[in-house]
Amino acid sequence: MIKELKNSEEIKSFISKKGYSVIDVYSDNCPACVKMDKEYKTLATKVDSSRLAKINASDNTDFLSEIGVRSLPAFVVFLDGQMQHLKTGFINVSKMEEILKWLLPKESKEN
């Protein structure tokens, strides 16, 4: 199940975990976000879904400004609390998996 993060405290706690964390940034009135949500849910069936979360852009503007998100949807990957990748605009599950593949070898080498 993909967790919905509600505030900056929850977000910072989630991304500070050892290993990778992925956040889908969305808005309820964004057609591309709705489309990407289906892809993100598919990704959750292929990877450890406890490492996936979502945040509503309108509820977390300070955090999004801090990490440089300026358009939606956004797919953001963190490793040990540090942002590793930011992709804005719609991407499908294949692209999400491709992005994670370059990250996962880094994670296994560091553990």
Side-chain angles (χ1 to χ4, degrees):
M1 186 170 143
I2 300 170
K3 183 175 179 156
E4 176 92 21
L5 305 175
K6 301 289 186 186
N7 56 52
S8 60
E9 185 177 298
E10 287 183 5
I11 295 167
K12 290 184 185 202
S13 174
F14 179 77
I15 65 174
S16 66
K17 292 188 267 182
K18 180 138 179 76
Y20 76 95
S21 306
V22 182
I23 295 178
D24 171 32
V25 184
Y26 73 96
S27 173
D28 291 326
N29 60 354
C30 164
C33 298
V34 172
K35 186 177 175 184
M36 194 162 112
D37 182 59
K38 293 174 185 170
E39 301 291 315
Y40 199 59
K41 286 177 180 172
T42 300
L43 180 67
T45 67
K46 299 179 175 203
V47 300
D48 180 358
S49 65
S50 72
R51 298 203 175 257
L52 305 180
K54 298 173 56 152
I55 62 173
N56 189 314
S58 60
D59 296 336
N60 296 285
T61 55
D62 289 342
F63 175 74
L64 299 180
S65 179
E66 186 181 309
I67 64 169
V69 173
R70 291 181 175 77
S71 62
L72 300 176
F75 183 79
V76 192
V77 182
F78 296 85
L79 181 61
D80 299 332
Q82 300 297 313
M83 188 170 70
Q84 300 293 310
H85 189 82
L86 167 63
K87 171 70 174 115
T88 58
F90 173 81
I91 58 173
N92 62 28
V93 71
S94 297
K95 183 66 177 173
M96 292 176 192
E97 289 177 302
E98 182 182 312
I99 291 167
L100 290 177
K101 279 182 186 175
W102 68 260
L103 178 61
L104 294 176
K106 287 183 184 180
E107 181 187 32
S108 61
K109 288 177 189 170
E110 293 176 7
N111 288 337

